[in-house]
Amino acid sequence: MDISKRVLALLFTRGVSLATWDKVGNLAREVRLYAELAPSFQKIYFFTYGTSEERKYEDRLPKNIVIVPRPKWIPSSLYVFLMPFVHAQ
């Protein structure tokens, strides 16, 4: 099976963002796993609970990892339920 044309979606734990990982000192360790997987996938999507400020981490990720932040207008408490609908495409 050729997975190079497949995509992977990582749904972050409720309330967790790349900024959370950075704050607790786990960002490099957590990203390393997906950086190693990146060549095997066309795209990897990080669905985070952070808002558009999460994009500041793009330079720390391989080019085929896409950060999909939570829209600011959706509270984190509702995003867990609305995420599949908001990002259906």
Side-chain angles (χ1 to χ4, degrees), residues 2-3 8 11 17 20 35 47 57-58 60 74 77 81 87-88:
D2 180 17
I3 64 171
L8 175 68
L11 306 176
S17 65
T20 305
F47 290 88
Y57 295 102
E58 287 177 333
R60 299 187 196 186
I74 302 177
S77 58
F81 303 107
H87 302 296

Side-chain angles (χ1 to χ4, degrees), residues 17-71:
S17 65
L18 290 166
T20 305
W21 282 357
D22 195 18
K23 181 179 176 182
V24 299
N26 290 344
L27 182 65
R29 184 192 75 191
E30 297 289 345
V31 166
R32 187 177 318 120
L33 169 66
Y34 297 98
E36 289 177 17
L37 289 172
S40 299
F41 288 90
Q42 184 177 6
K43 294 271 185 201
I44 297 176
Y45 293 95
F46 280 5
F47 290 88
T48 79
Y49 282 81
T51 56
S52 58
E53 292 84 27
E54 293 282 272
R55 299 207 192 281
K56 71 181 180 182
Y57 295 102
E58 287 177 333
D59 63 336
R60 299 187 196 186
L61 305 173
K63 298 296 181 203
N64 65 330
I65 295 181
V66 179
I67 299 169
V68 183
R70 173 182 59 85

